[in-house]
Amino acid sequence: MIDKRTLEFILTDQQEEMEARAEETLCRRPEEKKIDLKSTQAQAVIGVRRSGKSTLCYQALQSMGAKYAYADFDDERLVNLQADQLNDVLEVLYKIYGDFNYLLLDEIQNVEGWHLFVNRLLRRKMHIIITGSNAKLLSSELATFLTGRNKEIPLFPFSFKEFCMMKEIDILRRTTKAEGFRRAAFDEYLKQGGFPELLVIEDNKGYVNTLVENILKRDIERRFKIVYKAAFEQMAHHLLNVSPTIVVTTDLADLFHFKSEHTAKNYVEYLKQAYMLLGVQKYSQKSKQRSVQEKVYAVDVAMMDQRENAFAGENLGYRLETIVAVHLIRKCKIEGRDVYYLNDRSGECDFVVCKGNKVEQCIQVSYDISAERTRKREINGLLLAARQTKCENLLLLTDHESEEIMREGHKIKVQPVYEWSLF
């Protein structure tokens, strides 16, 4: 039991931390516009740890000039807080902040029974913004707990455009100097990734290793009461090492000696629910085909090798594909589109972008197409996609090449990823 005096001390500390953000240089992100502060629904910003969720909410509240209060339940000093003390938290917040009609609750899912407290406040017309980074704040559970009184806003680590904004790289000027700076920035982004704090710290590996450990142990093992912890963690690190990869749960079960394929399937799902992995389904007109052979990507390239004992090389091709996948998934979630991959015996295409059942674009990714064999393979993948989907919007993304290719009556645009991802 935490007494009110201790609660006041903790929540006042948190107030000072939040107010300190006014002195920082912060990045305006497109997801901010998705937060509807006038809505009577709870606004739930969800995503991987350390992707900037609370900062996004802070900026939305500041932009509106809202009177709000803030509580972070990921604070280790609140680890033993019980649901019946949430009203004490509310009372202390009124003492600290005065009157307010907006309440920002960071990682409130750490408190069992939180949904009853939030529902009560929603009935009292309080505007609620909540953040979450683990499976307790997924769509299904939010819908169950808040009975439809919520709006979900997914957030990812920085895009390349946001990375440039934070490093004050000009993304518009068309000069040799500006182009050179953008290419240098992309080389850095390709290796470092987009976690906001990696822009200001030097120990990348230590940071990412701690982040991964927190996700595995706090967001998954504790939540789902994982029995085979060591095997689960080995599987998680393995998938990060070999991503992007098509998941075959029978192989995972054999490799890590799980008792059943079902266990491996559940473990992969937990990693996706904690936003460590992102899944892309196989393109098919048949629902059954789309539900198997999912391809998974790390949520950020930093997780591919910036971990202890990752034993991973540069893998620039895989890293480039991962950046494209995350950017596409993020953009398509905002725009109401879906992303698939195409694969059959005659070839494959990395991404198929759909609006409903209509294919709008087919995208292939290759780091370097200067070798004739590679060039032919990537072009053939796009031609295969064009034949199967009847789509003529064909794009080949590379590290630096730019041209237009005509093959078999189809026009293929070749464009560098750093240029494509800015617009």
Side-chain angles (χ1 to χ4, degrees):
M1 201 72 174
I2 305 175
D3 63 77
K4 292 181 183 178
R5 184 179 295 277
T6 303
L7 278 176
E8 183 176 351
F9 183 81
I10 295 169
L11 294 171
T12 301
D13 276 355
Q14 293 181 1
Q15 179 194 34
E16 290 180 356
E17 291 172 12
M18 182 61 78
E19 289 177 346
R21 298 187 186 196
E23 306 299 321
E24 299 175 3
T25 301
L26 302 176
C27 180
R28 312 308 303 202
R29 310 183 73 178
E31 288 83 358
E32 184 181 328
K33 296 178 182 178
K34 304 290 287 186
I35 302 175
D36 185 359
L37 294 178
K38 295 181 180 179
S39 174
T40 57
Q41 292 181 310
Q43 305 294 295
V45 179
I46 58 176
V48 68
R49 280 180 177 270
R50 316 313 299 169
S51 56
K53 298 184 295 294
S54 59
T55 299
L56 181 81
C57 297
Y58 164 79
Q59 288 177 285
L61 289 163
Q62 287 291 106
S63 295
M64 187 181 179
K67 292 182 178 180
Y68 73 94
Y70 168 71
D72 177 10
F73 296 93
D74 210 33
D75 192 314
E76 79 283 355
R77 295 170 295 180
L78 297 178
V79 69
N80 294 317
L81 190 78
Q82 303 298 312
D84 59 8
Q85 285 193 276
L86 286 172
N87 211 59
D88 291 344
V89 170
L90 185 63
E91 179 185 323
V92 172
L93 288 173
Y94 275 120
K95 180 178 180 183
I96 295 171
Y97 288 89
D99 197 15
F100 56 85
N101 46 16
Y102 290 85
L103 185 56
L104 172 54
L105 304 170
D106 247 342
E107 307 289 353
I108 194 174
Q109 81 287 334
N110 289 338
V111 182
E112 293 288 342
W114 63 271
H115 56 286
L116 298 174
F117 172 71
V118 169
N119 258 328
R120 176 163 60 86
L121 294 183
L122 288 172
R123 291 195 299 270
R124 290 171 49 187
K125 310 301 181 186
M126 178 73 75
H127 295 280
I128 305 292
I129 305 97
I130 55 183
T131 76
S133 55
N134 72 17
K136 285 190 178 181
L137 271 182
L138 284 184
S139 305
S140 59
E141 297 201 10
L142 273 172
T144 301
F145 287 160
L146 300 185
T147 58
R149 303 176 68 186
N150 66 284
K151 177 183 178 181
E152 182 182 315
I153 301 104
L155 187 68
F156 298 88
F158 281 158
S159 66
F160 177 55
K161 182 177 181 179
E162 291 163 343
F163 184 84
C164 286
M165 291 167 62
M166 291 302 292
K167 294 183 75 68
E168 298 183 341
I169 302 294
D170 190 326
I171 65 172
L172 298 175
R173 193 180 297 274
R174 298 299 178 191
T175 65
T176 302
K177 182 178 180 180
E179 193 78 1
F181 283 173
R182 284 192 290 271
R183 289 191 59 180
F186 187 77
D187 285 348
E188 185 179 354
Y189 180 72
L190 185 64
K191 295 176 182 178
Q192 177 179 302
F195 282 105
E197 287 170 309
L198 290 181
L199 287 165
V200 294
I201 65 174
E202 294 182 2
D203 184 13
N204 288 16
K205 183 165 286 191
Y207 176 89
V208 175
N209 193 64
T210 300
L211 174 62
V212 169
E213 290 299 302
N214 280 335
I215 294 172
L216 295 179
K217 296 180 184 299
R218 297 174 63 179
D219 294 341
I220 300 178
E221 291 176 4
R222 183 188 300 173
R223 164 69 174 99
F224 294 104
K225 299 178 174 59
I226 301 293
V227 176
Y228 308 108
K229 292 184 175 64
F232 165 68
E233 290 175 17
Q234 288 171 5
M235 189 201 79
H237 284 284
H238 168 72
L239 288 173
L240 289 174
N241 286 343
V242 300
S243 67
T245 186
I246 295 173
V247 171
V248 181
T249 49
T250 51
D251 291 350
L252 291 175
D254 289 341
L255 183 60
F256 297 101
H257 308 293
F258 298 137
K259 290 185 177 181
S260 71
E261 178 189 354
H262 185 69
T263 299
K265 186 177 181 180
N266 283 342
Y267 284 178
V268 172
E269 191 62 28
Y270 298 158
L271 291 168
K272 287 164 50 190
Q273 290 178 1
Y275 305 97
M276 181 179 283
L277 295 178
L278 300 176
V280 176
Q281 291 184 330
K282 186 175 181 178
Y283 173 78
S284 174
Q285 296 293 328
K286 298 178 181 179
S287 178
K288 184 178 180 180
Q289 291 294 320
R290 293 196 300 272
S291 64
V292 298
Q293 293 188 318
E294 187 174 45
K295 195 171 187 178
V296 295
Y297 291 85
V299 73
D300 188 87
V301 294
M303 287 190 174
M304 296 171 72
D305 65 341
Q306 296 297 315
R307 294 169 290 112
E308 290 181 2
N309 302 315
F311 203 69
E314 281 191 313
N315 291 329
L316 295 176
Y318 286 164
R319 298 177 82 83
L320 196 69
E321 184 182 337
T322 298
I323 284 173
V324 172
V326 176
H327 185 78
L328 271 177
I329 292 168
R330 178 188 185 189
K331 187 178 180 188
C332 288
K333 281 184 177 292
I334 293 174
E335 297 174 351
R337 287 171 170 77
D338 298 302
V339 183
Y340 302 94
Y341 77 95
L342 189 150
N343 181 285
D344 67 17
R345 293 178 181 177
S346 55
E348 62 181 39
C349 181
D350 293 322
F351 302 106
V352 176
V353 180
C354 299
K355 179 74 171 180
N357 62 359
K358 180 182 178 182
V359 176
E360 294 188 335
Q361 189 174 41
C362 300
I363 301 174
Q364 195 76 310
V365 184
S366 180
Y367 185 80
D368 184 356
I369 58 170
S370 59
E372 185 57 34
R373 183 178 178 181
T374 303
R375 183 183 179 89
K376 182 177 180 180
R377 182 187 68 234
E378 305 301 341
I379 291 173
N380 285 344
L382 284 169
L383 296 178
L384 169 69
R387 290 193 297 270
Q388 292 200 8
T389 67
K390 310 303 180 186
C391 176
E392 291 298 326
N393 185 3
L394 308 179
L395 177 63
L396 174 52
L397 292 171
T398 72
D399 177 63
H400 54 274
E401 287 99 338
S402 181
E403 61 177 300
E404 281 192 357
I405 300 171
M406 290 298 301
R407 288 289 168 85
E408 300 180 11
H410 300 280
K411 183 171 72 172
I412 298 171
K413 181 178 181 180
V414 181
Q415 186 177 19
V417 173
Y418 76 87
E419 182 180 288
W420 167 83
S421 60
L422 288 174
F423 303 99

